[in-house]
Amino acid sequence: MTKIAVIGVGGAGANHANTLNGIEGVTLSMVVDQNECLAKQVSEQCGGVRYATDFHEALQDPDIIAVTVATPPSIREQIVIPAARAGKHILCEKPLAISLEQALRMQDACKNAGVKLMVNFGARNLPIFRKIKEMLDSGKYGTPEWIWLKYMTPARAGIFVPPDWFWMRETGGGFLVENAGHLLDFVNSIMPPAMDVVATTHTLEFSEAREGISVTPDVEDLALLTIRHEGGAVTSMANGCVGNGGWGVNMDIMTESHVISIRDTKNLRVEKDGIVIEAEEFKDRWNPIPYGVRRFVDFVNGLNDAVPKFDEAIAVLRIATGAYESAAVGRVVSIK
């Protein structure tokens, strides 16, 4: 029986807990949150598992072999490094950290301790994205030359409003760090390595507190970036929360012979010479967290590799931080 604890059970962490509680061969041993009422609530939802307000209680339990970390991004380093030193395998929600320096320290700690770590960039584990990866890997549909991508997160009362830490750069890192990673990771999986990026960021709507947000946002609500990849392929991406649309990804992948498209994260179609030759609809529109959690369990048990791997998570952060540098200095920035 694989015994796992969840650290941080607001939002994504509650999803972790409920998913783990339903996986055969897994015991959800503990849920942890500084908010005791929240920890108790999630504990009750999961059948009365142990709960705590101090994550060290999970690290000190020798029967717990792995933890998942779904705290605000700015404090993940403070948990991941002690967890690695305690010998626990780790699933960390995206992003791994809000700075490259933090992420590299976490990487060193996990490597030195010999523990497994996976970052929960969920897009690649969703069936629609897995299907596209398989299609491109087959060679039948050509090689991607240009990707156009729009990923918008609804941020409206009654739909979904991210928590206050999301809206502050010092706690969430900004849209490109906290939000864009799902799709940047997918792009990295089907395109050559990124060489450079040019970006602009804008605040169009979320310049002050509004319903569901008790802080004055200091992050952008729209980012536009262009990534140039080795060999000359290009990705153009818009990420943010402007407009009143639903939650979804729209993407066109242009190869020398086909166009592979996603609409609303559920409709997949393939065009050749302007004619639709394949089409498929996927039911799971956008709920990537459970797929990543299940993948992590298999990873811990040696049944598959991490998706993404640690180095791939670092590569995403390099693009995001490079994009912010580009927006600040007004020029193309190399990805190092």
Side-chain angles (χ1 to χ4, degrees), residues 67-90:
V67 298
T68 74
V69 179
T71 63
S74 59
I75 62 171
R76 288 176 188 161
E77 179 189 16
Q78 301 169 29
I79 298 167
V80 167
I81 290 178
R85 290 172 177 167
K88 310 300 184 186
H89 303 303
I90 303 158

Side-chain angles (χ1 to χ4, degrees), residues 2-266:
T2 305
K3 296 186 176 182
I4 301 178
V6 176
I7 301 173
V9 292
N15 200 329
H16 285 209
N18 284 300
T19 301
L20 289 167
N21 203 41
I23 299 177
E24 186 177 353
V26 171
T27 296
L28 175 63
S29 293
M30 185 184 297
V31 294
V32 182
D33 201 282
Q34 290 181 329
N35 182 332
E36 185 173 5
C37 290
L38 183 58
K40 184 178 180 182
Q41 176 184 332
V42 175
S43 165
E44 291 171 350
Q45 291 172 359
C46 296
V49 302
R50 282 187 296 161
Y51 70 89
T53 57
D54 184 348
F55 72 89
H56 290 95
E57 290 191 34
L59 303 190
Q60 292 164 2
D61 185 333
D63 293 330
I64 292 174
I65 68 166
V67 298
T68 74
V69 179
T71 63
S74 59
I75 62 171
R76 288 176 188 161
E77 179 189 16
Q78 301 169 29
I79 298 167
V80 167
I81 290 178
R85 290 172 177 167
K88 310 300 184 186
H89 303 303
I90 303 158
L91 173 67
C92 185
E93 261 306 318
K94 58 82 189 167
L96 181 59
I98 63 172
S99 74
L100 189 57
E101 292 75 18
Q102 287 179 345
L104 292 173
R105 288 194 293 267
M106 295 158 77
Q107 183 181 44
D108 287 344
C110 290
K111 286 184 175 179
N112 291 338
V115 300
K116 296 181 176 182
L117 183 138
M118 177 176 146
V119 181
N120 201 19
F121 288 126
R124 264 205 282 169
N125 291 311
L126 278 173
I128 191 169
F129 291 98
R130 289 206 312 265
K131 175 68 177 288
I132 291 174
K133 182 74 165 65
E134 291 168 2
M135 292 166 66
L136 291 171
D137 286 348
S138 74
K140 175 182 174 182
Y141 299 87
T143 301
E145 297 179 334
W146 177 43
I147 294 176
W148 173 88
L149 168 61
K150 183 179 78 170
Y151 175 37
M152 290 291 152
T153 298
R156 300 294 189 277
I159 304 175
F160 170 74
V161 180
D164 285 348
W165 58 258
F166 179 95
W167 300 101
M168 308 301 294
R169 188 171 299 278
E170 68 176 0
T171 50
F175 257 90
L176 288 175
V177 167
E178 204 290 327
N179 188 254
H182 285 303
L183 280 306
L184 289 175
D185 173 62
F186 178 69
V187 165
N188 283 347
S189 76
I190 63 173
M191 292 286 258
M195 293 179 58
D196 53 48
V197 62
V198 61
T200 60
T201 60
H202 309 270
T203 301
L204 303 183
E205 299 181 21
F206 288 82
S207 58
E208 57 187 17
R210 57 169 67 189
E211 187 179 358
I213 307 170
S214 62
V215 298
T216 300
D218 71 354
V219 299
E220 74 286 348
D221 57 21
L222 178 65
L224 307 171
L225 62 153
T226 299
I227 305 163
R228 188 164 61 100
H229 302 268
E230 290 181 5
V234 172
T235 296
S236 303
M237 179 175 184
N239 176 235
C241 62
V242 297
N244 200 24
W247 203 328
V249 176
N250 292 301
M251 176 166 58
D252 292 326
I253 303 168
M254 274 70 79
T255 75
E256 71 275 15
S257 56
H258 294 76
V259 180
I260 302 172
S261 300
I262 290 177
R263 290 294 177 266
D264 206 25
T265 331
K266 66 179 181 180

